[in-house]
Amino acid sequence: MQNFLQRGDALNVVAPVGGVVSGQPVAVGKLFGVAGSSVPAGYSFALWRKGVYSLPKTNAQAWAQGDALYWDAANSVVTNVNSGALLPVGYAADVAANPSSVGPVVLAQAAA
């Protein structure tokens, strides 16, 4: 295929204001993923967009396997409650208890 650019498991993007920390969830515009390295704002890094990750979640929520999940940028957590304006990021890869500070997320971002 002459029009193939790359696999897309990870994209090189520019770190937003505040920079990024390796292993932390990051939204760059409408792109969501997990930072592959720690870099200051304005520097390029790999944003991992596929896979299953343990990510910070709303503590007082229980997740069922397969729940749709969203990025709550105001609180820097993944949630299963969509206020209508949150960025879809994937699905619960397994159950997550209430209370718990992290949950298993399979990244499967759809167009928002």
Side-chain angles (χ1 to χ4, degrees), residues 13-52:
V13 296
V14 175
V17 172
V20 298
V21 176
S22 178
Q24 294 299 305
V26 180
V28 177
K30 297 285 186 182
L31 295 173
F32 180 85
V34 175
S37 59
S38 298
V39 298
Y43 284 79
S44 182
F45 71 100
L47 179 69
W48 287 92
R49 304 207 351 96
K50 290 186 179 180
V52 179

Side-chain angles (χ1 to χ4, degrees), residues 1-8:
M1 265 185 304
Q2 293 180 354
N3 60 344
F4 180 80
L5 298 176
Q6 68 183 74
R7 286 182 47 123

Side-chain angles (χ1 to χ4, degrees), residues 62-70 79-80 90-96 104-106 108:
W63 293 353
Q65 190 174 39
D67 276 358
L69 300 175
Y70 308 89
T79 177
N80 65 355
Y91 303 94
D94 203 349
V95 297
V105 179
V106 60

